[in-house]
Amino acid sequence: MSGHDDAHGHVVPVKMYVMVWVALMVLLALTVAASYWNTGHIWINNTIMLTIAVAKTMLILLYFMHVRWSSKLTIIFAASGFLWVLFLFAFSMGDYMSRPELSRLQEQVVISEDSPHYHGE
Amino acid sequence: MAATHSAETHDGLVAGHFEDLQQQRESATLGMWLFLAQEVMFFGGIFAAYLVYRTYYPISWEESSLHLNLWIGFVNTLFLLCSSLTMALAARAAQIGNTRHLVGFLIGTIIFGSIFLGVKAYEYYDKWASSLIPGIKWDGNQYWMSEGGNHELFFVLYFFASGTHALHMVIGIGILAWLVWAAWRQGRFVKGDYLPVEFTGFYWHFVDIVWVFLFPLLYLIDRFVTVGGH
């Protein structure tokens, strides 16, 4: 945010944009190659592909979308959407993942109510 | 600050309720990011649905994913990343005041974006021909023993996610076309008033990011079973 940027904003060198694009191409090739790699566990493949996707996102955000040269307030605004989406994922999964367990517990309660021993000796 | 840069004449650029150009741009940038945060959460809903159902029906997801053509998805991702490069260069051309380059790179972005949509349209047609359109033309039983309709659910999410993404691109191309017209016919965006190009770029790059996640999540699940078994 230096004063001499005032007329044009921060002008990023063409070479830097091209290098980011090359890095994105390499990551794209990597993610396709990694998907064919049998790691033995699908969660390892998922971790690799999501790590690459996050790396690509960071490159696009920081360089193409100029977040690297933005004010701190802009960075907070940019991060907030992603942070809230993570909340959405965390609470949705907390709900859906606990449902089978909950219905299992409820069945146990029903069974114990129906059992001849429930009403006591 | 404006006084020290009077030689560069920001007169007419700064609206009355702003102190100077810097403050005006900062405010506009915050507004654009607020819009994008809303977009992130909008697409976040689709990704959350994907996450829940993939966790519930992992086998259906893996089998259905193999019926998407990986190489078509790969080529489309490539075109989209190229379009982001030309978009970034268009915004740069506007910043340094080069109308010829600005218009050229904008048209380049439109071309890459249109190729993406054309390929996408072919993919949709292919799904139609293969009877993989949920609720309209569906015959999944020819590929899979019916597993409670969960393959269909994958394709519901595939069409919702890629369709919403494609709609965003159509809107983006519309805005790009307007930018080309305004830059070429009215000589706009090259005299310090480059923010419309910059923000169209933000929007375009954001739509690119959505695809960066959709491509592996839709196309790249369980590819290794086709080479080396589970």
Side-chain angles (χ1 to χ4, degrees):
Chain A
M1 289 290 120
S2 49
H4 68 270
D5 285 342
D6 203 12
H8 310 293
H10 183 94
V11 180
V12 181
V14 173
K15 198 180 159 194
M16 187 176 271
Y17 281 137
V18 173
M19 276 167 60
V20 169
W21 175 78
V22 170
L24 288 169
M25 290 289 126
V26 171
L27 286 170
L28 171 62
L30 266 181
T31 197
V32 172
S35 73
Y36 278 106
W37 178 31
N38 190 350
T39 57
H41 300 280
I42 194 159
W43 65 267
I44 298 179
N45 286 69
N46 288 337
T47 309
I48 294 171
M49 76 165 61
L50 285 176
T51 306
I52 293 174
V54 169
K56 280 164 143 179
T57 302
M58 290 310 287
L59 283 174
I60 295 171
L61 282 172
L62 288 175
Y63 292 92
F64 285 172
M65 298 173 86
H66 303 160
V67 169
R68 191 181 151 179
W69 301 280
S70 297
S71 68
K72 288 198 172 67
L73 188 58
T74 307
I75 292 171
I76 290 173
F77 271 53
S80 64
F82 293 100
L83 182 69
W84 252 257
V85 156
L86 290 180
F87 284 149
L88 175 69
F89 291 169
F91 288 120
S92 301
M93 289 309 277
D95 177 3
Y96 280 94
M97 289 301 94
S98 59
R99 282 184 192 190
E101 180 67 11
L102 268 181
S103 54
R104 198 180 62 80
L105 287 173
Q106 277 169 345
E107 274 166 27
Q108 278 185 347
V109 171
V110 171
I111 289 165
S112 60
E113 278 175 356
D114 288 348
S115 72
H117 305 293
Y118 179 73
H119 296 289
E121 319 273 86
Chain B
M1 187 180 271
T4 54
H5 290 81
S6 55
E8 292 178 296
T9 56
H10 300 143
D11 310 325
L13 272 183
V14 184
H17 52 289
F18 289 111
E19 290 282 328
D20 53 27
L21 195 57
Q22 188 67 47
Q23 191 203 23
Q24 176 170 311
R25 279 184 185 149
E26 181 70 19
S27 309
T29 305
L30 280 183
M32 188 60 198
W33 274 109
L34 201 59
F35 167 72
L36 289 180
Q38 171 276 134
E39 284 279 73
V40 170
M41 284 186 277
F42 172 76
F43 277 100
I46 296 173
F47 281 105
Y50 174 98
L51 184 61
V52 167
Y53 287 120
R54 182 171 170 187
T55 317
Y56 269 32
Y57 313 117
I59 306 295
S60 300
W61 245 240
E62 290 163 20
E63 288 176 351
S64 305
S65 170
L66 294 175
H67 275 260
L68 298 179
N69 189 323
L70 182 147
W71 297 109
I72 289 186
F74 169 79
V75 166
N76 247 359
T77 313
L78 201 137
F79 284 133
L80 207 54
L81 292 174
C82 291
S83 80
S84 259
L85 175 67
T86 53
M87 187 66 238
L89 292 173
R92 185 181 185 278
Q95 278 181 307
I96 60 174
N98 188 330
T99 299
R100 233 163 47 85
H101 283 187
L102 168 62
V103 170
F105 283 125
L106 285 175
I107 290 175
T109 311
I110 292 176
I111 290 172
F112 280 126
S114 304
I115 295 175
F116 179 96
L117 288 174
V119 173
K120 200 80 225 160
Y122 166 74
E123 268 191 298
Y124 281 7
Y125 165 75
D126 184 55
K127 292 291 159 291
W128 174 268
S130 314
S131 299
L132 286 173
I133 315 262
I136 298 171
K137 193 167 182 286
W138 178 264
D139 184 18
N141 292 353
Q142 57 177 319
Y143 308 110
W144 311 287
M145 302 301 284
S146 59
E147 195 204 308
N150 301 327
H151 295 96
E152 205 165 354
L153 194 55
F154 173 88
F155 280 95
V156 168
L157 277 166
Y158 165 75
F159 280 106
F160 255 98
S162 66
T164 316
H165 176 265
L167 178 66
H168 273 76
M169 287 195 62
V170 170
I171 294 168
I173 288 174
I175 300 171
L176 286 169
W178 171 73
L179 287 179
V180 168
W181 182 82
W184 192 246
R185 299 301 300 274
Q186 303 177 326
R188 288 182 62 184
F189 315 127
V190 286
K191 300 180 194 76
D193 53 344
Y194 60 84
L195 279 188
V197 183
E198 174 105 340
F199 291 165
T200 306
F202 283 12
Y203 173 82
W204 192 264
H205 298 312
F206 162 76
V207 174
D208 195 1
I209 288 174
V210 171
W211 185 258
V212 158
F213 282 93
L214 284 183
F215 171 58
L217 290 178
L218 293 173
Y219 291 77
L220 299 184
I221 311 173
D222 223 18
R223 283 288 161 185
F224 54 83
V225 295
T226 55
V227 264
H230 232 305

